[in-house]
Every structure is written in structure tokens, then in C-alpha cells.
């Protein structure tokens, strides 16, 4: 795919450049709680503005129902973008209507506008190709050139991600180029030993990537809520822990395949349990109990990996040459259940390996728990996109940029 460097070499002064970013940031009462995705697109936006482009930034935020919803407005993201750039950023209160055209028409070379949430128009996410294409046509009227830089959305066949690039000269922004380069190191050019740490709530979210990694990884560590389905598959009591009964046959198959292929599958040896899920708003003391992973009481819920598992996982990551981590080890949002996730993050920092944090909750955890982002090899901005890439799937947004 052609990158933004090629576009800059061709010249962009005075051109309207549509940047499909990922400004899908978490909000609490209208306040951004993590601006990582906004900061990730800064190099692309700044390079275009410095080169004299009229930059039109677009993104989705949340899951509005195809109509305007003030709770999902991109205005806070636009304001934060301006703060980070140290420059005014215009904001249009619609996507393809009069406000958007006025904002774009009012841009001078080097200036930036953000249009309202793309998902306020049903055409953005429409399954119907004609409806989606009609919205892409209206977006194309706002620009002369397309730059894709919203990696967190490239696995979606949406109008601004898949259809719009076909209507304009198109290039990959710095973020997407970086993300793809990193993921190739996890698929095409892997340095071994290759260790993978997978967490998060549901096994079903990770089945595809586990299937793919069984052919590539040397060691797979399992934590988070998904660990209890693995423990149940081994015949252990898991109490009232998160469990996907319907996934037990698939988990048993993966454990058998791992054994046959010589892939080391590492499960928790102890866990932190409680009869009650912690209060994440007040963060009141939860007073968990540590028990062996094969001795979870019937009335208790596993909420984090235990101290012996933390040591075990750190040792299993210490000699790796490549590490991919996706998903927290426990309910990291509560301090009593954050130590497992902290331990994995610290193990990545202590390892000489090329380390990749696979976006989503893992990236949020790194920032929430106070780690230096720059100390990791790479922190992805797209959890779902990263996983689907590692599954070997064709990502619509990347395919569109490659055409």
C-alpha cells in the first residue's frame, strides 16, 4: 500500500485530505478518560497540516443507532485534538450536511476540521452495499485525497473505511503503516521463542487467534475471565467464575492440539477469589482470598491470577524473543485485582523481547496502571483489528488501501 510519505512527496498544499482516524475514546460524563487514540493520529494530522493540506478528520465514537445522539458527539475529541496540536480545530455538527461542507470550505491550507460522528449516519455501518456506497459518495465530496489512519476500525466493512478509499486517491497514514509493520513481525518474521499472553473475559473472543497461534507460538499463557473455561475443561471446580460452557469442547481440542504440537499451554496455578464482584466506582476494599486454581470454592468467583501464577508467568516471558499480550489478567480496574495485570506488564518491560501490547483493554490497563507507554515495543490502538490480523483474516480497511 502507498503511505503518507508518498503523498507528501507528491505535494498536498491546498488539497482537501480526508483522514479516517480512530477517535473512539472512552468518555465519563463528557470527559475523555484516555486520549491514547487521539495522540496516535497526531503525527499524520500534523504532517499533513504542516505540508499545507486542508485536513478533514473523521471518526466514529461508540455505537449510536445511525442517528445523532449528543452522548456520542465527537466534540470532546475535536477539542482534545486541538489542545494536543496547539492549534485551533474547527468542528462540524454534522457528517455530510451543510455544517460539514461549511467547515471544509472554510479551511485554509494548514488548517484542520473534525466532522461529527460518522455513525450518526446509518449509511456508515449499513450492510447494504448501495446504502453504504451512497454515504461514501457524500463523504467523497468533502475531499480530494483519502488517508486511512484509523487502525482500530480497519476490520470493519464500513463506508469510511472500505468504500471511501475506492472513490479517492488513497494512502495509509503513519499509524496504520506502523501497526501493519509490527503485526508482520508477529506473523511473517517471528523471532523465537514466541510467547503469547491472552486474557480478557471471554474465550469465544479469542478462539480464532488461539487457533492461529497454535501454528506459530511456542508458549501461550492464559489469564482473565477466559481462564476459568480452560480450568473447567480440565475438570476443575470454578465456582461462580465467568464460564462459557459451550466453549469447553473447543478448549479441550485446543489443549490437545497444543500438546500434540509441543506448544506450551500455561494456565493459572492460583487465583484471587471473592463471593462478590468488586465495586468499580467506589473501589471499596474487596478483601479477596487466594486459593489454588484447582480448589476454587463453589460460592466464590475468580477475579485475578494469584501471586504464584504471577511469578510463573513472569518466568515464562523472561526468556522470550517476541511477546504478544492481549487482555488483562483480572479486574484491573479495581486495585485489589490489578496485580496480575501489573505483573504481566512488568514482565514485558523486564524482558529483552520485542513486546507488543495488543490494544483494547490491555492498552487501557498499561495507561491506567501508570506504566510508561514508550517502554514497550509497541502498543496497538486496535484490539479487535490486531486479533483478526493475527487470525489471518482479510481486514476490509487494509484491503481497500492496498487496492
Amino acid at each position: 500500500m502507498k503511505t503518507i510519505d508518498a503523498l507528501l512527496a507528491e505535494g498536498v498544499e491546498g488539497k482537501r485530505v480526508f483522514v479516517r482516524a480512530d477517535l473512539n475514546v472512552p468518555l465519563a460524563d463528557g470527559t475523555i478518560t484516555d486520549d491514547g487514540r487521539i495522540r496516535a493520529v497526531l503525527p499524520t494530522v500534523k504532517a499533513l497540516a504542516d505540508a499545507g493540506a486542508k485536513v478533514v478528520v473523521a471518526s466514529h465514537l461508540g455505537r449510536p443507532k445511525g442517528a445523532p445522539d449528543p452522548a456520542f458527539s465527537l466534540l470532546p475529541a475535536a477539542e482534545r485534538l486541538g489542545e494536543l496540536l496547539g492549534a485551533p480545530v474547527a468542528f462540524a455538527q454534522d457528517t455530510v450536511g451543510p455544517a460539514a461542507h461549511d467547515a471544509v470550505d472554510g479551511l485554509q491550507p494548514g488548517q484542520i476540521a473534525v466532522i461529527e460522528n460518522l455513525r450518526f449516519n446509518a449509511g456508515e455501518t449499513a450492510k447494504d452495499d448501495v446504502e453504504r456506497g451512497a454515504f461514501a459518495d457524500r463523504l467523497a465530496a468533502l475531499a480530494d485525497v483519502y488517508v486511512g489512519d484509523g487502525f482500530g476500525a480497519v476490520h470493519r466493512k464500513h463506508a469510511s473505511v472500505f468504500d471511501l478509499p475506492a472513490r479517492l486517491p488513497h494512502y495509509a497514514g503513519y499509524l496504520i503503516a506502523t501497526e501493519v509493520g509490527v503485526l508482520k513481525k508477529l506473523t511473517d518474521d517471528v523471532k523465537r521463542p514466541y510467547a503469547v499472553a491472552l486474557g480478557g473475559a471471554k474465550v469465544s473472543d479469542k478462539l480464532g487467534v488461539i487457533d492461529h497461534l497454535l501454528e506459530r507460538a511456542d508458549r501461550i499463557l492464559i489469564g482473565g475471565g477466559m481462564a476459568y473455561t480452560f480450568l473447567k475443561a480440565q475438570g476443575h471446580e470454578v465456582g461462580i467464575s465467568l464460564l462459557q460452557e459451550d466453549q469447553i469442547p473447543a478448549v479441550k481440542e485446543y489443549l490437545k492440539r497444543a500438546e500434540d504440537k509441543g506448544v506450551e499451554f500455561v494456565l493459572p496455578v492460583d487465583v484471587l477469589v471473592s463471593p462478590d464482584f468488586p465495586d468499580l466506582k467506589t473501589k471499596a476494599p474487596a478483601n479477596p482470598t487466594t486459593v489454588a486454581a484447582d480448589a476454587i470454592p463453589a460460592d466464590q468467583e475468580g477475579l485475578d491470577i494469584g501471586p504464584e501464577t504471577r511469578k510463573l508467568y513472569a518466568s515464562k516471558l523472561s526468556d522470550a524473543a517476541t511477546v504478544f499480550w492481549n487482555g488483562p489478567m483480572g479486574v484491573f480496574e479495581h486495585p485489589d485485582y490489578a496485580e496480575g495485570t501489573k505483573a504481566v506488564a512488568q514482565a514485558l518491560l523486564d524482558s529483552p523481547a520485542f513486546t507488543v501490547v495488543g490494544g483494547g483493554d490491555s492498552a487501557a490497563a498499561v495507561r491506567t496502571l501508570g506504566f510508561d507507554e514508550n517502554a514497550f515495543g509497541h502498543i496497538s490502538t486496535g484490539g479487535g483489528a490486531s486479533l483478526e490480523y493475527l487470525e489471518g483474516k482479510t481486514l476490509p480497511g487494509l484491503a481497500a488501501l492496498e487496492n
Side-chain angles (χ1 to χ4, degrees):
M1 66 181 73
K2 290 196 293 185
T3 70
I4 187 175
D5 286 332
L7 172 60
L8 293 171
E10 294 165 11
V12 294
E13 187 168 2
K15 291 183 178 180
R16 300 171 302 164
V17 181
F18 187 103
V19 177
R20 202 328 180 165
D22 179 9
L23 308 181
N24 185 28
V25 292
L27 297 171
D29 299 323
T31 300
I32 296 170
T33 58
D34 183 354
D35 65 1
R37 285 176 171 166
I38 300 175
R39 288 185 284 111
V41 78
L42 290 178
T44 290
V45 172
K46 191 174 187 306
L48 291 168
D50 289 348
K54 300 175 180 180
V55 186
V56 183
V57 180
S59 176
H60 70 287
L61 192 153
R63 297 180 182 272
K65 305 299 183 182
D69 183 339
F72 297 105
S73 174
L74 272 178
L75 178 58
E79 292 174 342
R80 182 58 179 153
L81 178 63
E83 291 171 0
L84 291 168
L85 288 169
V89 170
F91 180 71
Q93 293 183 334
D94 60 28
T95 55
V96 290
H101 282 275
D102 288 346
V104 174
D105 291 345
L107 291 175
Q108 297 298 312
Q111 293 184 336
I112 301 156
V114 174
I115 63 174
E116 186 55 284
N117 192 335
L118 292 164
R119 291 186 183 176
F120 284 2
N121 190 301
E124 169 68 1
T125 59
K127 301 295 185 184
D128 181 77
D129 291 349
V130 174
E131 183 181 356
R132 210 175 53 247
F135 182 52
D137 287 338
R138 297 181 70 186
L139 289 173
L142 297 171
D144 306 304
V145 180
Y146 177 92
V147 172
D149 213 31
F151 181 74
V154 293
H155 58 315
R156 306 297 188 191
K157 192 177 182 181
H158 291 169
S160 66
V161 175
F162 178 75
D163 303 270
L164 184 55
R167 289 157 167 79
L168 296 169
H170 47 272
Y171 304 80
Y174 289 126
L175 175 61
I176 280 186
T178 298
E179 293 272 13
V180 171
V182 166
L183 289 170
K184 286 185 181 297
K185 292 183 179 180
L186 299 179
T187 52
D188 301 336
D189 185 24
V190 182
K191 293 184 179 178
R192 299 187 179 280
Y194 178 17
V196 177
L198 295 176
K202 295 181 179 179
V203 174
S204 54
D205 293 340
K206 303 290 196 303
L207 285 180
V209 75
I210 293 173
D211 183 71
H212 184 81
L213 289 168
L214 282 172
E215 304 297 328
R216 290 162 177 79
D218 300 300
R219 192 177 298 151
I220 300 175
L221 287 58
I222 301 293
M226 62 186 287
Y228 303 102
T229 302
F230 279 86
L231 292 171
K232 186 71 171 181
Q234 290 186 326
H236 302 311
E237 169 67 56
V238 297
I240 57 173
S241 304
L242 187 63
L243 176 65
Q244 289 186 284
E245 291 267 11
D246 62 324
Q247 302 299 330
I248 288 177
V251 166
K252 287 182 175 179
E253 178 196 340
Y254 287 158
L255 290 171
K256 179 65 167 60
R257 279 178 55 197
E259 183 180 359
D260 292 344
K261 290 180 173 295
V263 176
E264 188 178 4
F265 231 102
V266 190
L267 298 178
V269 294
D270 62 344
V271 297
L272 269 61
V273 299
S274 171
D276 302 302
F277 195 83
D279 188 325
L280 300 183
K281 288 187 177 180
T282 65
K283 295 185 171 53
N287 301 316
T289 303
T290 301
V291 300
D294 60 359
I296 299 174
D299 64 343
Q300 303 277 310
E301 178 177 9
L303 295 165
D304 194 13
I305 58 174
E308 292 306 314
T309 305
R310 293 174 218 151
K311 294 176 188 175
L312 173 65
Y313 284 14
S315 71
K316 295 295 183 181
L317 297 172
S318 64
D319 65 344
T322 303
V323 177
F324 174 70
W325 170 36
N326 180 276
M329 296 291 108
V331 186
F332 74 91
E333 298 91 344
H334 192 285
D336 287 355
Y337 301 106
E339 293 305 317
T341 301
K342 283 183 183 178
V344 169
Q346 188 62 51
L348 265 65
L349 293 182
D350 294 340
S351 170
F354 174 63
T355 57
V356 179
V357 180
D361 286 341
S362 312
V366 164
R367 289 187 279 268
T368 299
L369 298 175
F371 288 94
D372 179 5
E373 295 177 68
N374 296 321
F376 297 88
H378 179 70
I379 297 181
S380 179
T381 57
S386 296
L387 290 177
E388 290 197 16
Y389 189 101
L390 292 180
E391 288 176 38
K393 290 183 178 180
T394 297
L395 306 189
L398 297 185
L401 293 174
E402 289 166 353
N403 287 341

